[in-house]
Amino acid sequence: MEHIQPDMDEGQEFEGPLQTLSMERMLAFSGGPIATPDWPAKNLHTNFEKAKDAGLSAPIASGLQYEGHLLRLLQDLFGNAWLQGGKMRIKFPRPVMAGDVVQAKVRVKSKALCDAIVTYELDVWCEKQDKEKVLVGTASCSLPM
């Protein structure tokens, strides 16, 4: 079901739901196919020893895992228009550990109308419970008027 925001204003912010990234979710996301005999795969997202070998204090969530939370918010805002032509450029400045709570956020940077199409330029990010940004970037999407 689409939940398109029909007229977003510059400066307006939108938030996705709070999401706890549990170790169980990290295993399900990064552990590989569950039916394999050696599940979960041992990598820096699922295994304490592999994480320590990589210089980390504990396994970290895959950035794609919480990027999905941001994509959900963008699809809620723009519906099929996001799937058909939304664009996003992001980076992951800090890790997310098991137990961290992450929230996706979007701020309308600008909007422009041209030939009955409004194009939104957005700041996008995900932040942890302490407001530390763990994903930052920009996005754009166009909607017919």
Side-chain angles (χ1 to χ4, degrees), residues 62-118:
S62 167
L64 292 176
Q65 192 166 359
Y66 48 96
E67 178 186 356
H69 300 174
L70 177 59
L71 292 170
R72 175 182 168 193
L73 177 56
L74 289 164
Q75 186 174 2
D76 284 349
L77 292 172
F78 294 103
N80 286 334
W82 175 256
L83 298 174
Q84 295 169 350
K87 297 176 185 173
M88 185 169 68
R89 296 190 71 171
I90 58 169
K91 60 183 177 178
F92 304 95
R94 288 170 195 78
V96 171
M97 311 302 265
D100 280 336
V101 178
V102 177
Q103 186 174 37
K105 298 191 175 187
V106 170
R107 179 184 306 114
V108 179
K109 195 164 37 172
S110 67
K111 68 179 188 177
L113 180 64
C114 182
D115 296 328
I117 302 219
V118 61

Side-chain angles (χ1 to χ4, degrees), residues 18-66:
L18 297 171
Q19 302 280 344
T20 301
L21 291 177
S22 66
M23 191 65 202
E24 292 81 10
R25 285 182 180 262
M26 290 166 53
L27 287 169
F29 192 86
S30 298
I34 293 174
T36 58
D38 57 346
W39 186 88
K42 291 182 177 28
N43 57 55
L44 60 90
H45 304 296
T46 62
N47 182 275
F48 280 87
E49 190 173 304
K50 292 286 186 181
K52 286 185 181 181
D53 288 347
L56 303 166
S57 62
I60 61 171
S62 167
L64 292 176
Q65 192 166 359
Y66 48 96

